[in-house]
Amino acid sequence: MSAVEERSEIELVVNVRDGHLVQGQNLVTNNVSVVEGETAIISCRVKNNDDSVIQLLNPNRQTIYFRDVRPLKDSRFQLVNFSDNELLVSLSNVSLSDEGRYVCQLYTDPPQEAYADITVLVPPGNPILESREEIVSEGNETEITCTAMGSKPASTIKWMKGDQPLQGEATVEELYDRMFTVTSRLRLTVSKEDDGVAVICIIDHPAVKDFQAQKYLEVQYKPEVQIVVEFPEGLTREGENLELTCKAKGKPQPHQINWLKVDDDFPSHAVITGSDLFIENLNKSYNGTYRCVASNLVGEAYDDYILYVYDSRADGAPQKIDHAVIGGIVAVVVFAMLCLLIVLGRYFARHKGTYFTHEAKGADDAADADTAIINAEGGHNNSDDKKEYYI
């Protein structure tokens, strides 16, 4: 049994569970949905049968089976099971002409009838996916159509862009024998992020599963530009060289890359090789903004590099402070100050005392001031009599 036939039987079981009791106390049947070209099972079941005869009629009221005998010469009808309580018939290679109301008939008094409606499902053809333009520029709108042709009933079309569901606009055209063609139009504005993203048309129909078609968007976008400093790694100093590379990416790839200096003339000895800019022996007159411009069919973009030339002695990184050295210096200074304090202390201690001299000897015994002065002056002249005591 093919996978299609298995799906048909599973669907039949569901219909059996949803079966209904029609007029007549003892006769039961069920509706059947079957995919075109597959096999339908028609069941006539009798509860508490009293040996009454069961027969199956087609929509034209022609007898297909009378008990276990097939009067109809259509060999696609085959007896699956016959008993007093059931008549089970298969119809293979179902076509649209087989659709209609089949009659289970029980010969009682009066006769009882139950009706089984066979619905033939026709799956759509392969979905046809078309786009208004194959290549779209970023920021523009594009339109994609998906068509599901010749299905019964009409298909439902859903859209996805990557993992994102989108809403399309559907039109339904009725053909013949209740056949339908459905067309859905999807309009969307694209960005550069959409380049290479899949747009998926999903067909929803009871006759098929996982029926879809997809198209990958091709989006053109203007370049993305970035200037990279190849040399030097740190500050740009006088006398050194400068090397810049312009990296540009776009779709299509940029066909032209230009270097220029904003609001000024380019250094006379600057060398441009493709996307690279080389300036040797820098000096401060080269300061300014250098621009790389890249362009393609979509547009152009640029990136700027601001050059500032430092003195040749300039250091781009602050010097690290050695705390151990500073601590050592502070310790030496404190030690020197302590030594100085000790020396000064000892010095002042050694020269501390009282002086007694005989320079004014005789002044105490003088009768008046003049005599005291004369006696004192005489003391100055006699240096041998001068004595000093240090305690």
Side-chain angles (χ1 to χ4, degrees):
M1 182 178 292
S2 67
V4 175
E5 291 172 342
E6 290 177 0
R7 287 198 298 270
S8 177
E9 290 185 5
I10 292 172
E11 190 169 315
L12 176 63
V13 172
V14 174
N15 290 331
V16 169
R17 290 178 180 175
D18 294 337
H20 57 275
L21 182 64
V22 296
Q23 290 183 353
Q25 294 179 340
N26 299 325
L27 193 58
V28 178
T29 187
N30 54 273
N31 296 330
V32 178
S33 293
V34 59
V35 176
E36 183 181 33
E38 296 186 355
T39 300
I41 304 294
I42 307 170
S43 173
C44 300
R45 302 181 302 280
V46 181
K47 296 182 179 179
N48 303 319
N49 191 10
D50 56 357
D51 294 331
S52 298
V53 176
I54 307 172
Q55 72 170 350
L56 177 64
L57 310 177
N58 67 13
N60 297 321
R61 307 286 301 189
Q62 296 172 323
T63 300
I64 301 173
Y65 268 94
F66 182 85
R67 297 178 62 89
D68 57 351
V69 178
R70 189 188 73 208
L72 194 67
K73 295 182 179 180
D74 190 342
S75 61
R76 295 181 303 142
F77 290 98
Q78 293 294 323
L79 184 65
V80 177
N81 184 50
F82 173 75
S83 67
D84 291 339
N85 298 316
E86 182 181 51
L87 174 61
L88 197 63
V89 177
S90 67
L91 171 59
S92 61
N93 194 23
V94 175
S95 65
L96 282 174
S97 61
D98 296 320
E99 192 172 69
R101 172 165 287 186
Y102 290 73
V103 182
C104 291
Q105 196 173 70
L106 183 64
Y107 276 94
T108 58
D109 188 17
Q112 299 180 31
E113 290 186 351
Y115 306 101
D117 291 327
I118 290 184
T119 301
V120 179
L121 306 176
V122 180
N126 291 331
I128 301 172
L129 201 60
E130 298 176 317
S131 58
R132 189 170 60 193
E133 51 268 308
E134 293 299 321
I135 302 175
V136 192
S137 296
E138 62 174 336
N140 291 344
E141 183 184 76
T142 187
E143 181 180 287
I144 303 174
T145 61
C146 182
T147 303
M149 299 185 64
S151 67
K152 179 178 174 296
S155 302
T156 301
I157 297 178
K158 301 177 182 178
W159 292 95
M160 298 284 290
K161 185 183 76 172
D163 297 330
Q164 176 187 1
L166 300 176
Q167 186 66 42
E169 181 181 345
T171 57
V172 180
E173 178 186 1
E174 186 171 358
L175 304 176
Y176 57 90
D177 291 336
R178 289 176 288 171
M179 299 283 286
F180 299 91
T181 291
V182 180
T183 300
S184 179
R185 289 177 172 82
L186 176 68
R187 295 181 178 89
L188 70 158
T189 302
V190 299
S191 65
K192 64 182 178 182
E193 289 77 14
D194 293 325
D195 184 45
V197 175
V199 174
I200 307 170
C201 165
I202 303 171
I203 308 297
D204 188 9
H205 191 275
V208 291
K209 293 181 179 179
D210 301 325
F211 207 34
Q212 62 185 34
Q214 66 181 17
K215 170 183 175 57
Y216 291 94
L217 293 173
E218 186 170 353
V219 180
Q220 291 185 334
Y221 52 91
K222 65 182 181 181
E224 298 172 319
V225 184
Q226 181 186 16
I227 296 177
V228 178
V229 180
E230 301 291 349
F231 184 85
E233 294 183 357
L235 297 180
T236 48
R237 301 179 180 86
E238 286 184 303
E240 292 186 347
N241 300 332
L242 174 67
E243 184 177 354
L244 303 177
T245 296
C246 181
K247 295 186 176 181
K249 178 184 177 183
K251 189 171 184 179
Q253 277 296 111
H255 61 270
Q256 188 172 7
I257 294 178
N258 295 323
W259 283 96
L260 58 92
K261 188 176 182 183
V262 179
D263 300 329
D264 202 352
D265 295 331
F266 225 64
S268 58
H269 62 283
V271 178
I272 299 175
T273 306
S275 61
D276 296 333
L277 170 64
F278 181 78
I279 305 175
E280 63 179 359
N281 194 19
L282 293 173
N283 62 64
K284 292 188 177 183
S285 66
Y286 298 157
N287 289 347
T289 301
Y290 292 80
R291 176 171 296 176
C292 171
V293 182
S295 58
N296 61 9
L297 296 175
V298 182
E300 69 175 29
Y302 65 86
D303 189 24
D304 288 342
Y305 172 79
I306 299 176
L307 173 62
Y308 183 83
V309 179
Y310 291 83
D311 293 334
S312 59
R313 296 187 298 271
D315 192 351
Q319 293 183 347
K320 296 182 178 179
I321 299 175
D322 195 335
H323 297 284
V325 173
I326 293 177
I329 294 173
V330 172
V332 170
V333 171
V334 171
F335 179 75
M337 292 180 67
L338 289 176
C339 291
L340 180 59
L341 290 175
I342 293 173
V343 171
L344 291 175
R346 290 178 60 86
Y347 174 80
F348 285 115
R350 287 174 61 93
H351 292 77
K352 183 179 180 182
T354 304
Y355 287 87
F356 294 92
T357 66
H358 293 269
E359 294 177 356
K361 186 179 179 181
D364 294 336
D365 298 331
D368 51 34
D370 294 333
T371 306
I373 292 173
I374 294 170
N375 290 338
E377 291 177 352
H380 280 286
N381 295 329
N382 189 5
S383 61
D384 293 336
D385 293 335
K386 182 179 178 182
K387 294 183 180 179
E388 294 181 355
Y389 301 89
Y390 173 78
I391 301 175

